[in-house]
């Protein structure tokens, strides 16, 4: 009788655990929108969630420490005129967050230290260039102030946020709705999945297709895809019989998948989250009550099932904490923020270890908050490799959070009306300033004369 050999892996015993009730964020009316985005974004300072709002769109931004019942009067970010569909924190500045909405605009917000004390209605920058609702946002992983947005007009736009302008507009490649769009690890490629069942790897600056694969999944439901290790691509979708599938592809040879596995017959779209440090992919189904996780390796069958975290309540959305926000001394390798109907519940993924020492094998150097290239340099062709940091002493920031600077004089409305810009407003403001200074000088001269006459 042959014995089944269990594959050796240090992540075989990873287990998920929900935090205690008093560490959740309660009494939050999570958005009822039927859109396949995460609805949540987190970083080591804040957790942001899209909420129901009358007369427009809003999202809540809370300091991580503000747990428990959230007051109904808690201020929100509420500058959009239509429901918010996607939000994402900037990886290079924990106080900056972008939001995309049904009102066709993208807005950039600066959250004050300690969180909001009054409703935030005025964005730092408003980016206008889409003609239909904007449902996907993704910051560049290594270039400062570069943001990608994808809308229901089948257009992908790359923005230089500091100047408020659309630098690259990819509008002739996708014939139908874009389901997902993401960067690779150093931001030199973009991966998109589309309603035409095709995966495309794009050159972001040229806006051209490097590789594409038609009919990655036969089903008509949405496909999501992410880059994993060594430039490979993992996609989630549905078979013709509506079974949920996960597949791994090599873009150098797109003909056949390296592996294709069928999971179950649930209808929820699987949102993939990949951790490049451990090689683990987490699949969170919208409307599911579970998180499955797999290890991606170089040996067949390439995608190895590890385990599943299950709970009683289904998830409406999911936030994924960057590595630098985890508790290293507890061997925490991932933390999710699961959205329920009325609350947000953190779920901690841990590798059980007896030793109290720093676990080198679990925490290799990871991507830090420092960008390696500025937006203008990147658009001109300069590549930026991720700047890695060590988590050995718990994450201590050695670099100042990259200051978010907007060149007000460079801000342009990126709608069709370009041409001669009227600078009369700026000239008038400068003239007024000069006049004020003149008056101040005259007043001081007068006082000096008075003092001299008394002496």
């Amino acid at each position: 009788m042959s014995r089944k050999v269990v594959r050796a892996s240090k992540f075989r015993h990873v287990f998920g655990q929900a935090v205690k009730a008093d560490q959740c964020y309660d009494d939050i009316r999570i958005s009822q929108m039927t859109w396949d985005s995460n609805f949540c974004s987190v970083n080591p300072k804040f957790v942001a969630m899209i909420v129901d709002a009358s007369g427009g769109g809003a999202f809540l931004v809370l300091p991580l420490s503000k747990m428990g019942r959230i007051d109904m009067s808690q201020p929100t970010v509420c500058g959009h005129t239509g429901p918010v569909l996607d939000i994402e924190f900037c990886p290079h500045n924990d106080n900056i967050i972008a939001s995309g909405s049904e009102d066709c605009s993208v807005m950039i917000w600066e959250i004050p230290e300690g969180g909001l004390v009054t409703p935030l209605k005025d964005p730092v920058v408003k980016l206008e260039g889409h003609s239909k609702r904007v449902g996907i946002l993704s910051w560049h992983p290594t270039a400062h102030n570069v943001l990608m947005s994808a809308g229901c007009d089948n257009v992908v736009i790359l923005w230089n946020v500091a100047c408020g302008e659309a630098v690259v507009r990819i509008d002739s490649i996708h014939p139908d709705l874009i389901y997902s769009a993401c960067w690779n690890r150093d931001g030199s490629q973009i991966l998109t999945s589309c309603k035409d069942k095709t995966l495309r790897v794009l050159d972001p600056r040229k806006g051209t297709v490097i590789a594409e694969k038609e009919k990655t999944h036969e089903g008509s439901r949405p496909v999501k895809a992410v880059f994993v290790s060594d430039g490979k691509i993992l996609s989630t979708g549905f078979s013709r019989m509506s079974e949920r599938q996960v597949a791994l592809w090599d873009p150098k040879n797109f003909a056949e998948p390296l592996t294709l596995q069928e999971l179950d017959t649930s209808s929820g779209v699987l949102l993939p989250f990949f951790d490049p440090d451990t090689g683990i992919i987490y699949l969170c189904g919208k409307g599911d009550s579970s998180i499955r996780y797999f290890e991606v390796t170089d040996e067949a069958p390439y995608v190895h099932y590890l385990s599943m975290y299950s709970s009683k309540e289904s998830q409406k959305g999911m936030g994924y904490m960057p590595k630098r926000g985890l508790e290293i001394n507890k061997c925490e390798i991932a933390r999710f923020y699961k959205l329920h109907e009325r609350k947000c519940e953190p779920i901690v993924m841990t590798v059980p270890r007896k030793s109290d020492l720093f676990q080198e094998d679990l925490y290799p150097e990871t991507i830090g908050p420092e960008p390696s290239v500025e937006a203008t340099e990147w658009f001109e062709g300069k590549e930026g490799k991720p700047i890695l940091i060590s988590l050995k002493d718990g994450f201590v920031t050695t670099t100042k959070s990259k200051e978010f600077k907007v060149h007000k004089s460079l801000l342009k409305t990126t709608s069709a009306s370009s041409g001669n810009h009227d600078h009369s407003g700026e000239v008038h403001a400068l003239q007024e300033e000069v006049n004020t200074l003149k008056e101040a000088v005259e007043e001081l001269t007068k006082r000096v004369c008075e003092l001299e006459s008394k002496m």
Side-chain angles (χ1 to χ4, degrees):
M1 192 173 101
S2 67
R3 292 180 62 191
K4 190 178 179 185
V5 178
V6 176
R7 191 181 67 87
S9 168
K10 59 188 167 214
F11 302 113
R12 221 157 45 82
H13 301 292
V14 172
F15 70 97
Q17 198 170 17
V19 299
K20 295 190 175 81
D22 60 353
Q23 291 174 292
C24 294
Y25 306 86
D26 286 311
D27 238 10
I28 298 166
R29 291 178 303 158
I30 302 299
S31 171
Q32 300 294 315
M33 289 294 294
T34 52
W35 185 254
D36 294 320
S37 75
N38 302 344
F39 279 31
C40 180
S41 184
V42 289
N43 67 24
K45 280 187 186 176
F46 301 105
V47 54
M49 297 158 270
I50 302 175
V51 292
D52 261 344
S54 54
F59 59 96
L60 200 57
V61 180
L62 300 170
L64 286 187
S65 56
K66 193 179 172 69
M67 296 169 224
R69 189 176 168 277
I70 306 302
D71 200 283
M72 288 284 282
S73 60
Q74 176 69 28
T76 58
V77 181
C78 51
H80 283 287
T81 55
V84 178
L85 300 178
D86 198 13
I87 49 176
E88 188 171 359
F89 276 111
C90 175
H92 309 126
N93 185 333
D94 289 343
N95 295 62
I96 297 293
I97 187 167
S99 59
S101 162
E102 272 201 358
D103 64 12
C104 310
S105 72
V106 177
M107 293 186 185
I108 312 296
W109 310 88
E110 186 161 14
I111 309 299
E113 286 296 332
L116 298 176
V117 285
T118 56
L120 190 56
K121 294 179 181 174
D122 298 316
V124 187
V125 188
K126 184 176 181 180
L127 306 172
E128 295 178 305
H130 286 285
S131 59
K132 290 188 179 175
R133 59 186 183 169
V134 183
I136 299 167
L137 296 174
S138 183
W139 289 94
H140 194 287
T142 62
H144 189 218
N145 282 340
V146 176
L147 178 70
M148 167 169 63
S149 65
C152 294
D153 48 7
N154 315 334
V155 174
V156 175
I157 299 180
L158 305 187
W159 306 89
N160 181 342
V161 173
C163 307
E165 63 179 349
V167 183
V168 178
R169 187 180 174 89
I170 305 170
D171 54 6
S172 58
I173 287 173
H174 302 94
D176 214 325
L177 185 66
I178 300 165
Y179 285 141
S180 72
C182 69
W183 303 92
N184 64 350
R185 190 167 163 80
D186 64 0
S188 59
Q189 294 180 349
I190 289 173
L191 170 65
T192 64
S193 63
C194 180
K195 198 173 180 178
D196 66 353
K197 302 182 187 177
T198 304
L199 283 184
R200 293 176 178 87
V201 180
L202 309 177
D203 180 315
R205 283 167 288 218
K206 292 177 185 167
T208 53
V209 178
I210 299 168
E212 64 181 359
K213 170 63 183 164
E214 295 175 2
K215 293 200 174 169
T216 43
H217 297 274
E218 293 282 348
S220 56
R221 307 249 14 252
V223 171
K224 298 277 182 181
V226 289
F227 281 107
V228 294
S229 308
D230 304 323
K232 294 188 178 70
I233 290 167
L234 185 130
S235 64
T236 63
F238 293 80
S239 71
R240 197 172 278 158
M241 305 301 290
S242 291
E243 292 158 308
R244 290 200 292 197
Q245 297 176 322
V246 57
L248 189 71
W249 307 86
D250 185 350
K252 296 184 189 87
N253 180 15
F254 247 152
E256 290 295 321
L258 296 172
T259 178
L260 178 71
Q261 300 177 26
E262 285 181 352
L263 301 176
D264 56 24
T265 53
S266 294
S267 60
V269 173
L270 288 165
L271 305 174
F273 298 91
F274 180 66
D275 178 359
D277 301 338
T278 58
I280 296 179
I281 188 97
Y282 301 89
L283 302 181
C284 310
K286 271 247 168 154
D288 287 16
S289 55
S290 61
I291 301 172
R292 285 185 178 83
Y293 34 108
F294 301 77
E295 191 174 357
V296 181
T297 66
D298 293 335
E299 74 234 18
Y302 304 105
V303 181
H304 308 270
Y305 175 73
L306 289 172
S307 188
M308 180 164 70
Y309 163 80
S310 293
S311 62
K312 289 176 183 169
E313 295 181 75
S314 62
Q315 55 231 18
K316 291 179 71 69
M318 197 67 82
Y320 180 61
M321 176 65 84
K323 216 30 139 347
R324 57 195 175 87
L326 303 181
E327 291 195 48
I328 308 306
N329 54 352
K330 293 185 179 173
C331 293
E332 184 183 357
I333 61 163
R335 192 188 312 154
F336 290 93
Y337 285 72
K338 173 180 169 178
L339 302 184
H340 299 248
E341 288 276 339
R342 299 282 302 191
K343 74 171 180 179
C344 173
E345 176 186 45
I347 292 158
V348 175
M349 297 285 176
T350 313
V351 177
R353 293 277 167 97
K354 289 179 181 172
S355 170
D356 296 338
L357 301 172
F358 177 70
Q359 306 294 316
E360 298 267 1
D361 58 332
L362 297 184
Y363 302 107
E365 288 200 325
T366 190
I367 191 163
E370 187 70 14
S372 53
V373 62
E374 286 297 322
T376 45
E377 298 172 313
W378 184 80
F379 281 116
E380 283 164 7
K382 186 178 176 184
E383 290 296 350
K385 294 287 173 220
I387 296 175
L388 303 180
I389 53 167
S390 169
L391 298 175
K392 187 155 189 173
D393 305 317
F395 173 68
V396 180
T397 179
T398 51
T399 51
K400 272 184 74 183
S401 185
K402 195 74 179 168
E403 195 183 345
F404 184 74
K405 284 185 181 161
V406 175
H407 310 300
K408 291 285 185 192
S409 59
L410 295 176
L411 277 184
K412 301 172 186 168
T413 51
T414 49
S415 47
S417 60
S418 59
N420 292 330
H421 294 286
D422 182 15
H423 296 292
S424 58
E426 282 175 51
V427 172
H428 183 67
L430 284 168
Q431 192 66 54
E432 276 190 0
E433 219 170 296
V434 169
N435 292 341
T436 310
L437 284 167
K438 270 185 184 171
E439 282 170 19
V441 169
E442 281 171 15
E443 186 66 33
L444 280 167
T445 312
K446 208 170 166 185
R447 287 187 64 189
V448 167
C449 291
E450 281 173 9
L451 284 166
E452 281 176 347
S453 65
K454 285 178 185 174
M455 284 168 74

